[in-house]
């Protein structure tokens, strides 16, 4: 299966989603406190009413509201103190008209009581009575049973990336375990006779590996599990073996090669040899990011990505195509963008989606987006950028002062 | 040491920084591929020139630029092919005038050569010659040694939170290990006779723990290590023991109690008993977040935080005061905010900093910030908010349509 026409970003993403299908993503049930950063694979419903009882929001006396009618600063209502509810204890003694019971903040109101009077409005009066200088209506200074969350109510939508506060919310609703999308097992391979592992001594004609490090780290920021990072020389038999092993062990194999014509062809050839249906996208209408190859192997359920050798392109293609297609299957919400004013005029390659790395400079009331240019400052592009602009397919340029939408790096 | 005047957010943060001092933060050296999400504790400098040699950006022939002078579509320059440089190999045979040598994209130019002619402009011509239909100037289609990054140049500033691309950049510059701020060992305690661990069955008058879960998870999103999460009843002796143990083992102890007066006093009393100099902030001019207590123990170097019981307040105080004060000591850059249009008029409590949880609704060209209100919807506040607005200290209100600065949840 060979397609030499380049795909748009949207086409490639759609093909990817169609080829891998919803079965590609597996789910697993994990303890709530291990779910940070994971993507929720089900609607989470509260297992209880929160609170589970009529609860006081103040320190004071639980009353029957109508007993306080007419009370005020000069005219107290007199109520008999019929006991005290201890924190965390069931209030089992009901309250009768003319009575009140002390309840601390967060405590349970006794049966029959329907409001709280703050202790500041109450004064001991004679033996076992209090003078109440405040008229309260029913419900005052209390939270009803289930007022915060009802048992069975959805508290977290499917596709939510779990943040700290979601973990807390689940705990508070009696949810101990949560079904999340299982992290993909990822192998990242760099090919090239010129690529050295950073652990080796530098040699003339060679450069250190960058893409296995940045792609592996990005896979980790999306919650996936990198099982192997490999640097492989440009020998087709060696690459074949590495690929074959990776496909058996991984859900996602990323290979980034150089950009010489021979190398690009080799990745595509290998995917077609090893995988069926094989390559479905051969080139993207994306700048930078054209030499991207996407394939799929149905029998092993492995997604195969030939990423561009250009380090910034590799990172953006991985996020824009691979992670975003998975996001679609997971039902994940769009990321939150930062809108900024473009600092300078910039021409775009019309007929392509252009990705422009930018640094965000704080201004009064917003940000200015400064494109990070330079024909070869590949490393500074990576270290200085806060995010990138993704242009519409047919945009010819961006004017200085124009509002641009910046996707932040995670 | 007792201070009953509340502090502003800025005052509390300043005191915290002054009390703990720069020695509080320890550093450690870790492998680059373990540094994701950690905060860089030193300037990172490249250990090599990148690239380490004059490198081709195209497939083609290395030439001496002036040999191609005058060449063009109709008038080729004829050069003798003196060999081929293999990918990743040293180009040791120098080039002489009238010669060219084949070099693949990414390959090393031979000594003497100063430009590349793309293969598309070359044509084999007779025995061992090529006809070159393109005049190139010196440097054309090449990257100079050190052009991307010079050996010794700073590639990552101190205080940078390491993202995927930083990991890649370090690898590419021969940096294998990096000095980062050591994660704090954190203990999170919830107190209250009414607090149940979510693993227990719900009981009348009780509620499930929320704050140890959300605070522990937030500490983790900031790269810290939670060593203990505990729920302790309101018994001063038990709390004393738990605190004492936590102080011996942790760098940061967070305790969140209920909001009844007795409980707030207990936390402060315990900190003063166990720690010296003890409590330095007793109450914040922050809404919500007033019942916040901060203390320090010099001998064990433990930071002690009594967080408000209100779940949203606990999360925001933890981030705004504790994590941000640490950020200041680490030299971390301010987070990137999202500017949005306020959806409705909202009154603020002047004389306090107000934190307003908001949901961001995408609009054309930006976001609308919808405040998440409700007297008791504590759980929905946590699950629906994308972030929060932090008002200036003396702001009386925000008008509908006004631009607000939203701090995103991590």
């Amino acid at each position: 299966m060979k397609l030499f026409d380049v795909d748009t970003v949207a086409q490639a993403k759609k093909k990817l989603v169609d080829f891998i299908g919803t079965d590609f993503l597996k789910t697993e049930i994990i303890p709530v406190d291990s779910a940070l950063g994971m993507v929720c694979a089900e609607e989470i419903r509260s297992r209880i009413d929160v609170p589970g009882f009529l609860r006081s929001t103040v320190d004071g006396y639980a009353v029957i509201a109508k007993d306080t009618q007419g009370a005020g600063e000069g005219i107290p209502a007199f109520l008999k103190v019929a006991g005290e509810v201890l924190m965390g204890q069931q209030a089992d003694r009901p309250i009768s008209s003319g009575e009140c019971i002390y309840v601390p903040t967060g405590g349970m109101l006794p049966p029959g009581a329907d409001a709280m009077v703050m202790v500041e409005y109450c004064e001991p009066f004679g033996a076992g009575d209090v003078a109440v200088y405040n008229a309260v209506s029913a419900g005052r200074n209390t939270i009803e049973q289930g007022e915060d969350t009802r048992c069975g109510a959805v508290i977290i939508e499917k596709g939510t990336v779990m943040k700290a506060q979601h973990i807390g919310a689940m705990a508070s609703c009696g949810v101990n375990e949560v079904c999340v999308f299982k992290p993909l097992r990822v192998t990242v391979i760099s090919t090239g006779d010129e690529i050295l592992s950073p652990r080796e001594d530098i040699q003339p004609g060679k450069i250190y590996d960058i893409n296995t490090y940045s792609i592996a780290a990005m896979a980790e920021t999306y919650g996936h599990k990198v099982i192997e990072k490999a640097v492989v020389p440009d020998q087709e038999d060696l690459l074949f073996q590495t690929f074959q092993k990776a496909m058996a062990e991984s859900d996602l194999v990323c290979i980034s090669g150089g950009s010489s014509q021979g190398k690009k062809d080799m990745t595509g050839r290998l995917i077609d040899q090893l995988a069926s249906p094989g390559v479905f996208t051969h080139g993207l209408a994306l700048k930078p990011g054209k030499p991207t190859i996407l394939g799929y192997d149905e029998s092993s359920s492995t997604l195969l990505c030939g990423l561009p050798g250009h380090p910034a392109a590799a990172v953006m293609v991985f996020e824009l195509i691979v992670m975003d297609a998975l996001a679609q299957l997971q039902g994940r919400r769009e990321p939150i963008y930062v809108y900024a004013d473009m600092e300078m005029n910039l021409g775009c390659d019309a007929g392509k989606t252009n990705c422009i790395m930018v640094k965000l400079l704080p201004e009064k009331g917003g940000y200015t987006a400064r494109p990070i240019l330079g024909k070869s400052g590949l490393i500074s592009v990576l270290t200085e950028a806060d995010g990138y602009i993704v242009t519409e397919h047919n945009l010819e340029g961006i004017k200085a002062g124009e509002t641009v939408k910046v996707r932040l790096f995670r």
Side-chain angles (χ1 to χ4, degrees), chain A residues 175-195:
Chain A
V175 178
N176 291 313
E177 290 183 321
V178 55
C179 180
V180 297
F181 289 106
K182 208 170 169 175
L184 298 183
R185 291 160 302 171
V186 182
T187 294
V188 190
I189 302 168
S190 272
T191 60
D193 291 333
E194 80 281 22
I195 310 282

Side-chain angles (χ1 to χ4, degrees), chain A residues 126-371:
Chain A
D129 276 14
V130 289
V132 171
Y133 293 93
N134 187 220
V136 289
S137 50
R140 181 76 184 155
N141 299 323
T142 65
I143 304 174
E144 266 185 70
Q145 176 169 347
E147 186 175 330
D148 195 331
T149 304
R150 289 242 161 256
C151 182
V154 174
I155 52 166
I156 299 172
E157 300 288 345
K158 187 183 162 188
T160 301
V161 181
M162 304 284 197
K163 300 195 171 186
Q165 62 271 29
H166 298 117
I167 309 294
M170 287 190 283
S172 73
C173 292
V175 178
N176 291 313
E177 290 183 321
V178 55
C179 180
V180 297
F181 289 106
K182 208 170 169 175
L184 298 183
R185 291 160 302 171
V186 182
T187 294
V188 190
I189 302 168
S190 272
T191 60
D193 291 333
E194 80 281 22
I195 310 282
L196 274 180
S197 156
R199 292 197 179 80
E200 297 173 80
D201 285 335
I202 194 74
Q203 293 161 29
K206 310 238 187 222
I207 57 163
Y208 281 130
D209 180 24
I210 177 166
N211 287 346
T212 56
Y213 282 77
S214 54
I215 297 304
M218 186 161 270
E220 284 171 9
T221 67
Y222 275 90
H224 300 298
K225 196 174 164 55
V226 177
I227 57 169
E228 179 77 31
K229 284 193 302 211
V231 174
V232 183
D234 277 330
Q235 291 170 32
E236 202 150 338
D237 53 338
L238 257 180
L239 263 176
F240 187 94
Q241 287 165 29
T242 310
F243 239 91
Q244 204 168 29
K245 179 167 174 286
M247 282 171 61
E249 295 167 353
S250 320
D251 307 302
L252 169 61
V253 180
C254 293
I255 180 163
S256 97
S259 39
S260 70
Q261 195 53 51
K263 288 190 180 184
K264 279 186 283 184
D265 292 349
M266 197 182 341
T267 303
R269 213 159 47 230
L270 279 169
I271 294 179
D272 274 340
Q273 274 170 35
L274 282 160
S276 166
V279 173
F280 58 83
T281 288
H282 203 296
L284 283 180
L286 178 68
K287 184 191 172 189
K290 184 167 182 266
T292 297
I293 296 170
L294 300 170
Y296 185 59
D297 183 52
E298 206 168 83
S299 66
S300 66
S301 293
T302 316
L303 176 59
L304 302 154
C305 304
L307 296 171
H310 185 299
V315 162
M316 291 186 295
V317 166
F318 183 76
E319 184 162 66
L320 271 182
I321 309 284
V322 187
M323 292 297 106
D324 280 7
L326 296 177
Q328 202 174 312
L329 287 168
Q330 292 170 335
R332 216 163 67 209
R333 222 180 124 191
E334 264 214 276
I336 288 174
Y337 298 92
V338 168
Y339 289 84
D341 295 335
M342 192 68 167
E343 194 185 38
M344 59 184 81
N345 293 328
L346 196 74
C348 293
D349 227 335
K352 286 184 180 172
T353 299
N354 290 245
C355 283
I356 303 149
M357 291 270 202
V358 296
K359 188 174 174 59
L360 291 171
L361 310 173
E363 306 285 345
K364 196 174 153 45
Y367 291 94
T368 294
R370 171 176 294 170

Side-chain angles (χ1 to χ4, degrees), chain A residues 395-409:
Chain A
L395 197 74
E396 297 200 337
I398 307 173
K399 288 205 170 64
E402 208 171 298
T403 300
V404 290
K405 188 171 157 185
V406 179
R407 174 146 179 181
L408 297 178
F409 282 119

